[in-house]
Amino acid sequence: MKRMMWSNLLLGLWLMLSPFFLVFLNRPVFKVLWEDLILGLGIATFSLCRIVSRRKGEIVLADWVVMVLGCLTLINPFLYSYNNAPIAKWNNLAIGGTVFVMAVYQDWKDEKATTPRNC
């Protein structure tokens, strides 16, 4: 399941770098640079923390933080009205939705694996 966290790490890095690449397609993308930099840095950092963590408490905390940051990335275009930057809006919706779903699934799998089974 570490593949999901590696995927989230790469998606966070893309979110950080995407405004610099997407600005060539749509100039207003640069206005959302700081939001995407901060959210991408958070997703990448906590995904990396999740990958290297061995303690259950750290793993659970990292899963929840990545989940919240994915949700924030998902709703960010609606909070800040990305109407002038449709490429950035769709980029954030795709990245945020993917990160959120993978973090929820990872958390669910971790919880399922540690729950004792009753016979």
Side-chain angles (χ1 to χ4, degrees), residues 3-4 24-26 33 37 40 44 49 51 61 76 81-82 96 101 106:
R3 267 187 266 163
M4 285 192 192
F24 296 114
L25 299 174
N26 189 359
L33 172 70
L37 273 173
C49 289
I51 291 168
L61 179 65
N76 202 28
S81 184
Y82 283 24
V101 167
Q106 182 68 46

Side-chain angles (χ1 to χ4, degrees), residues 5-54:
M5 287 299 119
W6 278 107
S7 297
N8 280 347
L9 174 69
L10 292 175
L11 289 171
L13 291 174
W14 166 250
L15 189 62
M16 283 175 31
L17 298 174
S18 64
F20 298 108
F21 293 108
L22 298 178
V23 74
F24 296 114
L25 299 174
N26 189 359
R27 198 75 168 137
V29 169
F30 203 70
K31 293 178 183 175
V32 300
L33 172 70
W34 293 109
E35 295 145 10
D36 287 349
L37 273 173
I38 292 168
L39 290 170
L41 179 65
I43 290 169
T45 302
F46 283 100
S47 294
L48 184 61
C49 289
R50 169 63 170 85
I51 291 168
V52 299
S53 294
R54 299 288 177 243

Side-chain angles (χ1 to χ4, degrees), residues 89-104:
K89 177 169 74 172
W90 288 108
N91 184 53
N92 279 29
L93 291 174
I95 301 290
T98 305
V99 167
F100 179 74
V101 167
M102 286 196 299
V104 168

